[in-house]
Amino acid sequence: MILDKEFYSLETTQIAKKLLGCYLIHESGDGVSVGRIVETEAYLGTNDPASHGFKGVTNRTKVMFGEPGKAYIYFTYGMYFCFNVTTAPDGVGEAVLIRALEPIVGIELMRKRRGKLFVNADTPNIMLTNGPAKLVIAMGITKDMYGTDLTQPPLYITSSDHFDKPIAFDTAQTTRVGISKAVELPLRFFIKGNEFVSKH
DNA sequence: GACCAGATTGTCT
DNA sequence: GACAATCTGGTCA
């Protein structure tokens, strides 16, 4: 089942938590790729200076302030993109960063997209999607998808029972990674013990 | 294994 | 003009 408007209207930290175990699916011209979400971070509107939405609407963050359930893709460090799901109603700028996936379908396609490093067959699949910029490349997500509706193909997220019975797991909650402000807020969620989580 | 520098450019002040 | 929700490849041990 594709996650719908109702799901994305939950509170942002709840969405971050509930996205664990769900599937991110991209049906591209190259083929279908699917990853199970194993790590997320919530970015809030107010009281969270680490969030891009904290300072209000800009050209870059405007999609965060629109309808929930859209793709917020941003460019960073001069060469990478990260993928977020927008949350919160119109006028409130919040989102959930997808930090890591477990590759499920289209692994060869993902290896091809990741390029040079994976030409070597010895490079393990564990490095394919265990970080926010890595999964964007592996899934074939591009900046053109900024603002895309995530409740329908080609890019969408399904519930954890979409393919089979949901896997059982414990959720861990820690502080977020790679930020310099509001470092103490415990808004990072991941599947405890999952080897595709970015940092242990 | 731990630590560190370099890459490279959009965005905001 | 400073900085960034990162990754990779190097050095040193």
Side-chain angles (χ1 to χ4, degrees), chain A residues 13-90:
Chain A
T13 54
Q14 287 302 307
I15 293 174
K17 202 179 299 184
K18 285 173 183 283
L19 278 175
L20 296 178
C22 295
Y23 296 93
L24 175 62
I25 302 178
H26 183 203
E27 298 171 3
S28 79
D30 299 334
V32 177
S33 40
V34 179
R36 180 188 282 134
I37 298 171
V38 300
E39 181 180 356
T40 62
E41 283 179 1
Y43 284 88
L44 309 179
T46 52
N47 301 321
D48 183 8
S51 172
H52 292 166
F54 183 68
K55 291 181 181 173
V57 184
T58 65
N59 193 50
R60 177 209 214 184
T61 62
K62 60 189 177 194
V63 70
M64 286 178 84
F65 289 85
E67 299 270 305
K70 302 284 171 53
Y72 169 47
I73 296 160
Y74 68 88
F75 181 79
T76 192
Y77 290 107
M79 57 176 81
Y80 295 114
F81 293 93
C82 294
F83 172 75
N84 299 245
V85 177
T86 68
T87 60
D90 227 347

Side-chain angles (χ1 to χ4, degrees), chain A residues 2 23-27 150-158 162:
Chain A
I2 297 182
Y23 296 93
L24 175 62
I25 302 178
H26 183 203
E27 298 171 3
L150 296 173
T151 63
Q152 59 183 337
L155 185 64
Y156 56 99
I157 301 176
T158 70
H162 188 68

